[in-house]
Amino acid sequence: MHDSSSSLAADVVIVGGGLGGVAAALAVCRAGRRAILTEETDWIGGQLTSQAVPPDEHPWVEQFGVTRSYRALRDGIRDTYRRSYPLRAEAASQRDLNPGAGRVSKLCSEPRVALAVLEEMLQPYRTAGLLQVLLNHRPVAAAANDDTVTTVTVESSDGRRTELLGLFVLDATETGELLPLAGIDFVAGAEAHSEHQEPHAPEAADPGNQQGITFCFAVSHHDGEDHTIPRPKMYDFWRAYQPDFWPGPLISFLAPDPRDPSSADTRTFDPNPDTDPLAISADQSADAGDKELWGFRRIVARKLFTDGAIDSDICLVNWPLNDYWLKPLIGVSGDPALDERTAAEALHEAKQLSLSVLYWLQTEAPRPDGGAGFPGLRLRGDVTGTTDGLAKAAYVRESRRIRAVTTVVEQDVAADIVGVTGRTRYRDPIGVGSYRIDLHPSTGGDNYIDIASVPFEIPLGALVPRTACNLLPAGKNIGTTHITNGCYRLHPVEWNIGEVAGALAAHCLDTAHTPQQVQADDALFADFAAVLDHDGIERTWPEVQGY
């Protein structure tokens, strides 16, 4: 039986402990307001930790283009390796140390290290009594009155329910779960071309057309050892599965080039290469880095450490092979029970796909020496913090999205529309980001949709719902479209969004203004912008001019 008698109150309730939720909590508490932060798993940090995804960032991240607190997170991760790990002197002295020397990011590292730094960043506010964190809690209900969310009910993993009361409520969940619970108007899946005239939008709206999810996992490799897992129950299905738009079986080293899906490339896989990781330069703008799979998302490079300290690299598997798109995670049937069953089936099948990829790698994958299988691959559940060896949560690329005051559309960011040096300027910028419009294969049957984009601003209007007075999005659920979500969904942008949502909630409580008023009035926005500037949030891209 559920115990619904307990309740907690704070100035701001933040539901979802991913990067956006953590950043929101920091901003609320930094402003002297009390916050409650809930998280469905037992790790805060979302895509960086419980989903185990190294950060996808723009090529200028070491110089500019992120918030001060996000830079502190990155610095903290590097400091942990310098302080606690037996790094080679040449590696320790690198200002831009990349512990995994992965090609996808200038800062590939272990999820637990990022978790430790995030916990450290929150700890002073927990000690001060400004922040309460509820792990293993998921939202199950919400109540609203006249466009104001009054309560959110969360349920713990053992079935106990707690009613949360806040003057502001922030939805930092991975799929915008509060929006339907609170009756907030939202969009899911793909919008019709007629809604925004986006060149790559389909003719008809398709709420069930959502980007695939991925259960990431980590592996190391140990010659002469056999770490083969039991044959997954769905292995025969996944081994034979070949999508219509794929050049061969999904589980193989042959896959489309995401930036040119009409062509196919054969990936290579060679564990623990002898190359010097200090020679790796991660820059996705120059090279996507995905053709050589072992080094693509490597999170520990053994050769950065003293001889014998670590006997294998650790590689994070988030590849074309284990993207799952057969069933949508976000239900669109209108029947909550059916949607919940469909989501559970999707998660189960996605896990089976990832385990099948690992089993194939261990038993059948072609080796450079002409043999088959890498039985020395060891599934590293100790790295992801799980007993099944996979990440704690699926990597979710697409959320429900609010009906916002401002909707960011393809015409705002696509390089072939605005020009490679073009920019869309907003009167209310509250952050920046840059990433290709990178849509993974979807539940609607789409192959990759990959569009060159330009550095972009985040408009405050995309964080402000058209109607809800005290609910704000704090993650991937802002006013983007199915198309533009593809470049607004990555780590530093999610952090930026969450940090601003938290700052906006605190600012509105201090000034007795609504988010809609702050966004619409130039003078009120200028006051809020001054707060963001003070807190180190870069709102526009730098312009370098001669003198």
Side-chain angles (χ1 to χ4, degrees):
M1 178 177 294
H2 294 140
D3 178 8
S4 302
S5 61
S6 62
S7 64
L8 295 170
D11 296 315
V12 182
V13 170
I14 305 163
V15 181
L19 287 176
V22 172
L26 287 170
V28 170
C29 296
R30 189 169 61 214
R33 292 284 179 170
R34 293 180 302 117
I36 296 170
L37 175 65
T38 74
E39 163 55 31
E40 189 166 346
T41 73
D42 60 350
W43 281 8
I44 60 172
Q47 54 182 317
L48 190 59
T49 59
S50 60
Q51 298 173 29
V53 182
D56 288 292
E57 299 167 330
H58 57 73
W60 313 283
V61 66
E62 304 297 350
Q63 288 78 41
F64 50 78
V66 296
T67 77
R68 181 189 299 151
S69 63
Y70 185 79
R71 192 167 300 285
L73 166 62
R74 300 177 86 254
D75 290 344
I77 291 171
R78 286 178 168 139
D79 288 346
T80 298
Y81 280 93
R82 293 192 183 100
R83 184 175 63 248
S84 303
Y85 283 66
L87 288 165
R88 289 166 47 196
E90 307 96 301
S93 64
Q94 279 206 325
R95 175 181 175 274
D96 300 335
L97 171 67
N98 188 351
R103 290 184 172 85
V104 74
S105 171
K106 298 179 186 298
L107 184 60
C108 290
S109 66
E110 298 158 88
R112 284 188 186 275
V113 174
L115 173 66
V117 176
L118 290 168
E119 291 280 9
E120 183 179 359
M121 293 174 77
L122 291 181
Q123 188 55 46
Y125 300 114
R126 300 175 83 167
T127 299
L130 290 174
L131 176 63
Q132 186 168 359
V133 180
L134 304 179
L135 300 176
N136 296 306
H137 281 73
R138 67 183 184 95
V140 293
N145 183 30
D146 292 334
D147 293 326
T148 299
V149 179
T150 54
T151 61
V152 175
T153 302
V154 293
E155 183 177 276
S156 66
S157 54
D158 60 5
R160 291 176 297 167
R161 293 194 171 189
T162 303
E163 190 175 70
L164 306 179
L165 297 86
L167 300 174
F168 265 84
V169 174
L170 273 53
D171 185 344
T173 61
E174 296 298 323
T175 56
E177 293 171 47
L178 289 190
L179 303 182
L181 292 176
I184 306 300
D185 197 15
F186 67 89
V187 182
E191 295 90 343
H193 178 271
S194 59
E195 185 165 357
H196 302 293
Q197 289 74 51
E198 292 180 298
H200 285 84
E203 286 303 312
D206 187 356
N209 188 8
Q210 302 158 20
Q211 287 190 73
I213 62 175
T214 307
F215 264 102
C216 303
F217 59 93
V219 291
S220 51
H221 185 260
H222 309 272
D223 279 324
E225 300 180 11
D226 188 348
H227 295 281
T228 305
I229 64 171
R231 184 184 180 93
K233 293 180 179 179
M234 290 186 67
Y235 184 71
D236 289 341
F237 171 83
W238 285 119
R239 184 68 182 91
Y241 177 63
Q242 180 172 343
D244 293 340
F245 51 81
W246 217 255
L250 179 64
I251 298 184
S252 73
F253 288 144
L254 182 65
D257 180 345
R259 298 187 183 184
D260 181 12
S262 63
S263 67
D265 292 300
T266 299
R267 272 61 173 179
T268 62
F269 183 73
D270 186 11
N272 290 328
D274 288 329
T275 53
D276 184 358
L278 290 177
I280 299 296
S281 177
D283 183 354
Q284 288 196 60
S285 67
D287 178 4
D290 61 342
K291 303 304 184 286
E292 190 276 297
L293 293 175
W294 183 264
F296 180 33
R297 297 184 188 273
R298 183 170 52 182
I299 56 176
V300 173
R302 72 194 190 287
K303 285 181 171 290
L304 289 180
F305 304 90
T306 56
D307 288 344
I310 297 174
D311 65 351
S312 172
D313 296 348
I314 300 177
C315 169
L316 196 284
V317 179
N318 173 19
W319 304 339
L321 287 67
N322 62 326
D323 276 1
Y324 170 88
W325 56 74
L326 295 189
K327 294 183 175 73
L329 189 63
I330 299 170
V332 296
S333 73
D335 180 344
L338 175 59
D339 289 345
E340 189 170 345
R341 286 197 302 273
T342 301
E345 290 170 0
L347 293 172
H348 170 72
E349 292 172 5
K351 284 188 173 186
Q352 282 289 302
L353 172 56
S354 285
L355 291 171
S356 295
V357 167
L358 173 60
Y359 185 77
W360 176 80
L361 288 169
Q362 293 172 323
T363 61
E364 296 188 57
R367 297 196 309 258
D369 65 5
F374 299 84
L377 287 175
R378 176 186 165 201
L379 183 59
R380 298 299 297 268
D382 56 328
V383 171
T384 55
T386 61
T387 55
D388 67 7
L390 304 177
K392 290 177 179 288
Y395 177 29
V396 177
R397 296 178 174 88
E398 187 169 343
S399 174
R400 298 175 181 89
R401 305 177 296 279
I402 63 166
R403 294 277 187 186
V405 170
T406 303
T407 301
V408 179
V409 298
E410 182 180 348
Q411 298 91 314
D412 295 328
V413 292
D416 62 351
I417 296 175
V418 301
V420 293
T421 60
R423 300 287 185 273
T424 297
R425 307 290 186 184
Y426 297 96
R427 54 163 290 276
D428 58 347
I430 49 83
V432 296
S434 184
Y435 200 74
R436 292 179 69 87
I437 297 177
D438 171 25
L439 300 180
H440 283 232
S442 71
T443 54
D446 293 333
N447 199 345
Y448 290 98
I449 298 175
D450 191 276
I451 306 163
S453 63
V454 298
F456 54 79
E457 297 175 353
I458 309 169
L460 180 59
L463 276 67
V464 177
R466 295 178 187 175
T467 54
C469 298
N470 72 331
L471 181 141
L472 294 170
K476 296 183 287 289
N477 49 354
I478 65 168
T480 57
T481 65
H482 173 70
I483 301 294
T484 57
N485 162 266
C487 61
Y488 273 72
R489 65 179 173 81
L490 286 311
H491 302 63
V493 175
E494 181 185 342
W495 181 280
N496 194 150
I497 291 165
E499 187 169 1
V500 171
L504 180 60
H507 182 75
C508 287
L509 291 175
D510 290 343
T511 61
H513 292 120
T514 67
Q516 288 81 3
Q517 289 171 330
V518 172
Q519 190 276 332
D521 184 279
D522 287 345
L524 294 182
F525 175 73
D527 290 341
F528 179 55
V531 172
L532 301 183
D533 293 341
H534 178 269
D535 289 342
I537 294 171
E538 298 181 28
R539 299 187 299 110
T540 59
W541 286 99
E543 293 187 17
V544 180
Q545 300 179 356
Y547 62 94

